[in-house]
Amino acid sequence: CSNDSEEDMFGDYDSFYGNDSLIAQVDDVEHKYLQDENMDVKAAGEVVLGNLQSGDHQKEQDNFSASQNVVVLKSDKEGACQMQDSDPADGNQKLTESILDDLPSSQLLYFEKMDEFSSAPRTSPLSKERDERVDSFSDKIRDPLSFYAGAEHRNRPIDSSSHSKCVLFKSESLKDHLKSAMTGNARAQTLQVSKTKQLKEAVLSEEIFVARKAIESSSLDIGPFYGLPSKVKDLFRQLRGIETLYEWQHDCLMLESLQQRKNLIYSLPTGGGKTLVAEIIILQELLCRQKDVLMILPYVAIVQEKVWIQGLSSFGIELGFLVEEYAGSKGRFPPIKRRVKKSLYIATIEKGHALVNSLIETERIDDLGLVVVDELHMLGAGSRGAVLEITLAKILYTSKKTHIIGMSATLNNAGDLQKFLQAEYYTNNFRPVELKEYIKIRDTIYAVDSKTENGFTFSHLLNFKYSSNLEKADPDHIIALVTEVIPKYSCLIFCPTKKNCENVASMVCKYLKKEFRAHKEKEKQDLIKNLKSIGNGTVCPVLKQTIPFGVAYHHSGLTNDERKSIEEAYSAGVLCLLACTATLAAGVNLPARRVILRAPYVGNDFLKKSQYKQMIGRAGRAGIDSAGESILIVQEKDKHLVQDLVHSPLENCYSNLLQEVTKGIQSLLLSLVGLKIAVTCEEVDNFMCCTLLGVQQQLLSKEKSLSEIIQDGLENLMEKGLLKGRISEKDHNSKSTLTITPLGKAAYKGSVDLAYCDILYRELKKGLQGLVLESNLHLLYLSTPYDMTSTCSPDWMIYLRQFNQLSAAEQKVADIVGVPESFITKKASGQAVRKNVDNAVVNRFYLTFVLYSLLKETNVWSVSEKFNLSRGYVQNLLSSAASFASCLLHFCEELEEFWVYKALLTELTKQLTYCVKTELIPLMEVAGVLEARAKQLYNAGYKTLAHLANANPETLVRMIEHLSRRQAKQIISSAKMLLSEKAEALQEEVEELLKVPTDIP
């Protein structure tokens, strides 16, 4: 049973035509008038239009009549719903049927015709009435409390005389539409599409069109919901439970600078509702302005929260998830050449940069109408901050049409970022729930109070009786603090290390009363079963002990599937306490009634103000809690440091282009020349002035000028053989052209860190002389990421055991790369090693063993146990290796000498990306399907993409354990979209093959 993506999203809700009488009426019209085979075409057009726009169907009028055009008479260039020509005797009847039956899914010709009419100066009673309605609605939406409240806006019936004039005026247009439809679709077969779906689609297109026109014509008359169809309003209500907007959100959306498409930075405290504003702006761009959108998110985890995006398929929008995560990036750029739909790309910082490079290279950067950056303060965060700065600087320099929106927690040096992004700035201190900050020293709680001399005032003493044994086990009184809120309310404990998270969760459960086990007991058992199926029959012993009490830990040592299950259980109230690391505060929106900071440290480093703000910002759940509380546990020795922490301003956000040399300024200079953005020293200087580094150059580099920094960078790239050209201090501003070498092009196309470019080239070259292909061990070594070797500490006994299991040919690989058996043997037996061996190579080969085992066993659990590593680390290694193998493939594609690697790396990249048995790969291409889910689907008989695309969500929910109805619909929608994308790509290939060459002799 096929399930329409629009029905997936909105169920049976008919917001556009209020009741079903319109459908019934259209059916009556069809039945009545199709009896007369010789009926005049023009009369048919008038009857259809008259019936659609008269009577008391007031809501339909707003949608169908607002643009003064015949909605149902359109030809479809893409051939979505076409007519079949038959013998002349039936011509009139077939033509008349097409008026009602052939509502196209694509509206391209319709939009073109509308533009023709709107360009001619004319006024009609109908247009005046429409303008009055838009003005009236515009007045209403200025009251932020009325967006969702009360009855929908309704219109007066249209005067029949003005209506008939309109039809007569459009008679030529009607004939043109019919003629065009007949000519273009004469040989095509009619598709069987339900009339309800056709009408929904036509009305939606009409409403989008009206909103689009309104947004273009005036900054004030912005349509029913901020220039968007009312369906969007329903989307937020249904999927997110959002009934009204906060006052600041309304003010921000109504900013004149936003209406004028000026770049904007807006900042609010964590939990203030920043994302909703960005989502509305994104939908305006996709639906009204018909442009592509890129949304850059700092963490993969945040992507999973964007529930609303599943509804975009019902608006005809393609989604590209561009993220590095286990089981593949799922991020394919949609077919570009003949793509009609607009795309929303959800991307991590690195993938967003790759997409922008691709658009600049193919001269399509102006197709990108909007870029939204979440957590803009990430500009100051190491190498990722440098990549984000490079991405934004390239967009600003190469496209004057792309609109940039940055959202952030409170910023300290917003002026620098404003100057860099040429943006307006909006800020507000709004929090939906009051936040009360406390610190705890010994058994005393103090309130944070900036008005007092030392910054704290006494609040109360802890009221909890501790035995001497409990005092030893819990010297920080964590049990006293958590039992004040759980299980009725939720609580988060932020811990400095991963091990500390697990210890705290275990310790709390040892001393909780048995009554805690009774709270949502069945749901907890279901969660343990779910985790068991994810772990192929194994559950972490700590989680098995803590979950019955409603307690769990959350850190990067868990697999993606485990983390997701735990987050969902916490959101549903099954778990009431999470012991977690700082990554949870940054990456996932899981608020709590009370947030406890176990210590003012992250690892061994003292807490930064931005980290502290992010953690305590999770306290208080909008719509649930009247207030949120944060409690920082402080030792006496740290008291003065904590005083400074809670009362100091936020850290400034500084450019990282200089600190991150190879991923920063050198990488930028290389790609500027490679993409031909700047090919002379003068052009490079001009570009660099437009970066955040350019804005902050006097602060960041007191010894050298920006010009000298650029010259040093260019000379370094020439020494490495990545660039060619002439530069000297005298002719630095000359017009001499810089060019990129083949090696330089391979490095920037492959996004290879320039710190490893040289060694990578040498190892690939060496591989050509004797690549061992008996197994994929040698190729895996070449694909093992360099940047993970520094975090690897081999267990030498495990290393030796793995080494001894290698075949003779595989041991030859160890010799070729430089890992002698004698070295491993001595290390394992604790003997002194005199031989000079490169530790980076030894560590890298150990990681290669982990990957080799993973591809053999395809089980993260068993491999993590075998190598005594956390499951999350193993999964992260796999994800990084898949990403690096893809980079390696692009690197080799640019160098003819490495042609042999292309086919080998294509296959290896796929194996690393999915790391499952081959038959599961097609299912895992679907967004939202990871290994455990793919196995369930395959075993239930859903073995191909087509099976999933045509599945019934109710049947899926019934057959697949732990699958919600929402997840089932999401999987089906994603499968449909992917299937359609593959079909489009094949169709494109067919057209390319059948195209008649223009230069035939």
Side-chain angles (χ1 to χ4, degrees):
C1 176
S2 174
N3 203 49
D4 178 81
S5 64
E6 195 169 313
E7 291 165 355
D8 279 357
M9 183 60 221
F10 296 100
D12 300 315
Y13 185 69
D14 284 339
S15 66
F16 291 97
Y17 30 88
N19 56 54
D20 292 329
S21 58
L22 175 67
I23 306 299
Q25 188 177 346
V26 170
D27 280 347
D28 290 345
V29 171
E30 181 184 34
H31 183 72
K32 180 180 174 184
Y33 285 96
L34 293 187
Q35 288 173 357
D36 182 4
E37 289 186 12
N38 299 314
M39 178 180 160
D40 180 75
V41 170
K42 181 179 165 187
E46 288 178 355
V47 169
V48 172
L49 185 64
N51 274 279
L52 285 174
Q53 295 188 336
S54 64
D56 41 42
H57 307 295
Q58 295 162 328
K59 196 154 188 181
E60 299 89 47
Q61 292 163 4
D62 192 31
N63 300 307
F64 274 93
S65 67
S67 66
Q68 319 171 26
N69 271 278
V70 183
V71 174
V72 293
L73 299 175
K74 301 184 267 294
S75 98
D76 180 8
K77 280 186 178 177
E78 299 301 313
C81 294
Q82 298 170 333
M83 300 184 299
Q84 185 174 14
D85 195 5
S86 59
D87 69 280
D90 294 326
N92 283 343
Q93 183 176 348
K94 295 289 181 191
L95 193 56
T96 309
E97 285 174 0
S98 78
I99 292 167
L100 285 148
D101 288 348
D102 290 7
L103 290 176
S105 48
S106 168
Q107 302 294 325
L108 288 180
L109 183 66
Y110 173 53
F111 283 152
E112 288 170 18
K113 293 293 180 190
M114 294 297 287
D115 288 339
E116 285 172 26
F117 290 123
S118 62
S119 63
R122 61 179 182 275
T123 311
S124 73
L126 190 66
S127 67
K128 283 181 185 171
E129 184 169 314
R130 179 199 61 194
D131 291 340
E132 284 165 19
R133 286 198 296 272
V134 172
D135 287 339
S136 162
F137 209 106
S138 186
D139 290 339
K140 279 196 176 186
I141 66 162
R142 287 189 179 83
D143 174 9
L145 299 176
S146 71
F147 299 143
Y148 293 94
E152 290 288 334
H153 181 60
R154 295 186 179 275
N155 304 315
R156 300 180 300 283
I158 297 168
D159 177 70
S160 60
S161 62
S162 66
H163 160 66
S164 58
K165 282 177 197 167
C166 180
V167 174
L168 288 167
F169 189 81
K170 293 285 180 283
S171 59
E172 283 302 309
S173 162
L174 184 59
K175 287 174 188 172
D176 290 345
H177 274 299
L178 290 169
K179 185 177 176 183
S180 178
M182 286 296 289
T183 307
N185 304 328
R187 291 183 181 81
Q189 232 177 347
T190 305
L191 294 176
Q192 297 302 309
V193 183
S194 76
K195 294 188 189 72
T196 309
K197 172 137 194 278
Q198 292 171 343
L199 278 162
K200 274 186 180 181
E201 208 169 78
V203 175
L204 176 60
S205 289
E206 177 68 8
E207 194 169 1
I208 289 172
F209 180 77
V210 173
R212 186 182 175 195
K213 281 294 169 195
I215 220 168
E216 286 169 1
S217 63
S218 165
S219 61
L220 296 174
D221 295 339
I222 56 172
F225 182 66
Y226 298 106
L228 292 167
S230 54
K231 189 171 185 177
V232 174
K233 186 165 55 174
D234 306 326
L235 176 79
F236 283 118
R237 183 191 287 131
Q238 289 174 22
L239 285 182
R240 303 274 290 284
I242 294 170
E243 292 289 334
T244 57
L245 270 67
Y246 297 130
E247 190 176 344
W248 84 262
Q249 291 171 328
H250 172 66
D251 292 345
C252 188
L253 286 165
M254 298 299 286
L255 286 172
E256 195 176 332
S257 54
L258 205 55
Q259 310 302 323
Q260 294 169 359
R261 286 182 69 73
K262 289 181 180 172
N263 293 345
L264 176 71
I265 299 168
Y266 63 98
S267 74
L268 279 96
T270 302
K274 295 186 290 289
T275 308
L276 180 61
V277 170
E279 290 166 353
I280 290 171
I281 295 168
I282 284 169
L283 290 170
Q284 285 174 346
E285 195 68 31
L286 289 163
L287 301 180
C288 303
R289 294 193 178 91
Q290 302 277 304
K291 287 280 190 178
D292 291 340
V293 174
L294 167 62
M295 188 175 197
I296 297 176
L297 302 167
Y299 301 99
V300 172
I302 302 180
V303 175
Q304 296 162 354
E305 286 187 38
K306 303 296 171 194
V307 180
W308 61 276
I309 56 178
Q310 65 177 290
L312 290 180
S313 59
S314 65
F315 291 108
I317 290 162
E318 294 183 10
L319 295 176
F321 289 90
L322 310 176
V323 296
E324 306 88 345
E325 64 176 328
Y326 171 63
S329 68
K330 311 267 167 103
R332 309 149 308 277
F333 299 150
I336 296 298
K337 278 192 222 167
R338 52 195 288 279
R339 184 162 55 82
V340 175
K341 297 176 193 172
K342 291 296 133 189
S343 292
L344 167 61
Y345 300 101
I346 309 280
T348 51
I349 289 169
E350 293 78 7
K351 293 285 183 180
H353 182 226
L355 173 63
V356 168
N357 279 349
S358 167
L359 292 173
I360 292 170
E361 189 170 34
T362 53
E363 297 180 352
R364 289 183 294 107
I365 190 66
D366 284 341
D367 288 354
L368 199 57
L370 174 68
V371 175
V372 175
V373 183
D374 195 0
E375 312 282 351
L376 188 64
H377 54 266
M378 288 292 291
L379 278 165
S383 62
R384 302 173 77 229
V387 174
L388 180 57
E389 181 181 344
I390 290 168
T391 307
L392 293 172
K394 284 176 179 175
I395 294 166
L396 286 162
Y397 195 82
T398 58
S399 172
K400 301 303 170 197
K401 294 180 181 179
T402 305
H403 192 198
I404 296 175
I405 303 287
M407 50 177 162
S408 176
T410 312
L411 292 163
N412 201 37
N413 60 334
D416 285 356
L417 302 191
Q418 262 186 279
K419 201 171 175 187
F420 165 45
L421 293 178
Q422 301 148 38
E424 301 285 313
Y425 182 56
Y426 176 90
T427 187
N428 195 304
N429 291 324
F430 173 81
R431 261 189 68 93
V433 177
E434 184 193 359
L435 172 62
K436 295 175 180 175
E437 286 180 59
Y438 300 97
I439 68 160
K440 185 190 87 69
I441 301 174
R442 290 193 285 277
D443 61 350
T444 309
I445 306 288
Y446 298 92
V448 173
D449 185 355
S450 56
K451 293 169 191 169
T452 61
E453 193 179 333
N454 69 352
F456 306 118
T457 54
F458 172 81
S459 175
H460 61 277
L461 291 169
L462 279 177
N463 183 22
F464 191 90
K465 289 179 183 175
Y466 268 73
S467 65
S468 57
N469 282 344
L470 184 52
E471 187 73 47
K472 283 177 191 171
D474 181 21
D476 291 327
H477 310 107
I478 288 170
I479 291 167
L481 294 172
V482 301
T483 50
E484 287 178 353
V485 287
I486 65 168
K488 189 178 178 184
Y489 300 108
S490 58
C491 183
L492 293 174
I493 304 178
F494 285 106
C495 304
T497 66
K498 287 183 277 193
K499 192 65 189 164
N500 195 225
C501 291
E502 296 176 34
N503 292 343
V504 165
S506 293
M507 182 273 293
V508 168
C509 291
K510 272 182 196 168
Y511 295 97
L512 283 180
K513 293 176 182 173
K514 287 186 179 170
E515 295 91 88
F516 279 87
R517 297 179 74 103
H519 182 73
K520 299 204 174 186
E521 194 171 5
K522 183 189 177 296
E523 290 92 333
K524 289 170 188 170
Q525 288 308 314
D526 287 345
L527 174 59
I528 291 172
K529 277 185 200 168
N530 188 26
L531 290 171
K532 198 170 183 179
S533 80
I534 288 168
N536 292 307
T538 316
V539 182
C540 164
V542 176
L543 291 175
K544 198 172 182 181
Q545 174 215 341
T546 63
I547 286 172
F549 289 93
V551 178
Y553 66 85
H554 183 293
H555 57 58
S556 61
L558 295 168
T559 65
N560 289 341
D561 274 0
E562 286 175 310
R563 282 207 294 266
K564 202 170 178 185
S565 293
I566 286 168
E567 285 160 18
E568 284 172 359
Y570 176 83
S571 296
V574 176
L575 297 174
C576 54
L577 175 65
L578 287 187
C580 47
T581 50
T583 46
L584 182 76
V588 187
N589 182 22
L590 292 178
R593 175 65 166 270
R594 176 175 285 182
V595 168
I596 300 166
L597 280 70
R598 173 82 173 72
Y601 291 90
V602 173
N604 296 320
D605 300 323
F606 196 78
L607 211 55
K608 289 180 185 168
K609 179 66 178 238
S610 56
Q611 292 170 323
Y612 172 72
K613 280 285 187 188
Q614 210 157 31
M615 290 182 200
I616 67 170
R618 296 293 170 220
R621 296 159 301 168
I624 301 171
D625 299 326
S626 55
E629 306 168 329
S630 71
I631 300 172
L632 170 57
I633 298 173
V634 181
Q635 306 304 320
E636 196 68 51
K637 67 181 177 69
D638 292 327
K639 188 176 175 182
H640 291 296
L641 287 171
V642 169
Q643 278 177 324
D644 293 340
L645 171 72
V646 296
H647 297 297
S648 64
L650 281 158
E651 298 87 5
N652 284 336
C653 181
Y654 291 120
S655 169
N656 276 276
L657 288 185
L658 290 184
Q659 282 76 6
E660 301 291 330
V661 179
T662 55
K663 281 190 176 179
I665 192 158
Q666 286 188 7
S667 172
L668 173 56
L669 293 173
L670 182 67
S671 66
L672 287 181
V673 178
L675 291 166
K676 298 185 170 63
I677 295 171
V679 292
T680 67
C681 291
E682 188 179 358
E683 288 172 353
V684 172
D685 279 356
N686 291 341
F687 180 95
M688 292 302 294
C689 290
C690 299
T691 60
L692 183 58
L693 173 62
V695 171
Q696 297 176 331
Q697 58 175 303
Q698 291 174 328
L699 283 171
L700 298 180
S701 178
K702 295 191 167 87
E703 290 141 28
K704 288 185 178 180
S705 68
L706 186 61
S707 208
E708 288 171 322
I709 292 166
I710 293 166
Q711 185 167 329
D712 287 352
L714 291 172
E715 284 174 354
N716 193 284
L717 291 170
M718 287 178 186
E719 283 167 21
K720 289 181 177 176
L722 304 173
L723 285 183
K724 284 191 297 190
R726 252 183 349 99
I727 52 167
S728 67
E729 286 185 31
K730 288 179 185 174
D731 66 354
H732 184 61
N733 289 322
S734 75
K735 306 290 182 193
S736 62
T737 304
L738 298 163
T739 54
I740 195 163
T741 64
L743 180 60
K745 192 176 181 186
Y748 103 79
K749 284 267 195 167
S751 301
V752 173
D753 186 339
L754 300 186
Y756 308 116
C757 184
D758 207 32
I759 187 171
L760 175 64
Y761 180 80
R762 286 202 308 272
E763 287 191 325
L764 288 169
K765 193 85 174 162
K766 193 176 178 183
L768 291 178
Q769 295 160 18
L771 192 65
V772 178
L773 294 174
E774 186 180 275
S775 73
N776 56 13
L777 184 69
H778 198 167
L779 205 58
L780 265 177
Y781 173 78
L782 294 172
S783 304
T784 303
Y786 292 100
D787 55 4
M788 287 196 74
T789 55
S790 58
T791 60
C792 171
S793 302
D795 180 316
W796 298 108
M797 287 305 294
I798 294 171
Y799 208 150
L800 183 61
R801 201 177 308 130
Q802 292 299 311
F803 204 100
N804 290 335
Q805 288 171 15
L806 297 177
S807 67
E810 288 169 338
Q811 287 195 359
K812 189 183 170 191
V813 175
D815 286 337
I816 292 169
V817 301
V819 182
E821 185 180 2
S822 59
F823 176 84
I824 306 297
T825 306
K826 283 181 178 174
K827 276 286 194 181
S829 59
Q831 295 176 41
V833 180
R834 292 188 183 86
K835 198 167 184 178
N836 189 19
V837 173
D838 187 340
N839 281 327
V841 172
V842 173
N843 288 3
R844 194 169 173 224
F845 199 56
Y846 186 71
L847 293 177
T848 303
F849 277 152
V850 178
L851 292 168
Y852 190 46
S853 296
L854 265 173
L855 290 189
K856 275 186 184 172
E857 299 175 36
T858 70
N859 185 331
V860 170
W861 273 82
S862 62
V863 172
S864 64
E865 282 171 17
K866 182 188 285 183
F867 287 89
N868 197 20
L869 297 165
S870 76
R871 307 178 294 288
Y873 180 85
V874 171
Q875 198 175 60
N876 184 38
L877 170 64
L878 183 63
S879 168
S880 299
S883 191
F884 186 62
S886 175
C887 291
L888 204 56
L889 174 60
H890 293 307
F891 182 88
C892 292
E893 281 172 345
E894 296 300 321
L895 296 168
E896 192 58 44
E897 61 195 296
F898 295 145
W899 64 272
V900 71
Y901 287 114
K902 292 179 200 173
L904 296 169
L905 286 168
T906 302
E907 192 53 40
L908 185 68
T909 302
K910 191 180 275 191
Q911 285 179 308
L912 287 167
T913 298
Y914 297 109
C915 191
V916 291
K917 293 187 170 65
T918 315
E919 64 266 20
L920 297 180
I921 289 177
L923 299 178
M924 288 186 64
E925 287 186 75
V926 177
V929 176
L930 295 180
E931 184 182 1
R933 183 73 77 214
K935 282 179 181 172
Q936 284 179 311
L937 291 166
Y938 190 86
N939 293 336
Y942 297 96
K943 299 188 175 182
T944 65
L945 205 52
H947 281 128
L948 275 185
N950 294 288
N952 182 318
E954 303 304 331
T955 313
L956 263 188
V957 171
R958 199 168 58 248
M959 294 181 74
I960 307 298
E961 257 193 307
H962 310 296
L963 183 71
S964 68
R965 193 167 182 272
R966 181 179 66 78
Q967 288 170 323
K969 287 182 173 183
Q970 203 170 347
I971 286 170
I972 292 166
S973 287
S974 298
K976 281 182 179 175
M977 203 180 301
L978 188 54
L979 203 60
S980 155
E981 212 173 88
K982 285 176 181 273
E984 273 184 35
L986 288 170
Q987 179 63 34
E988 204 169 293
E989 278 187 48
V990 170
E991 286 176 10
E992 203 64 42
L993 280 170
L994 297 177
K995 194 191 286 181
V996 179
T998 52
D999 57 349
I1000 299 174

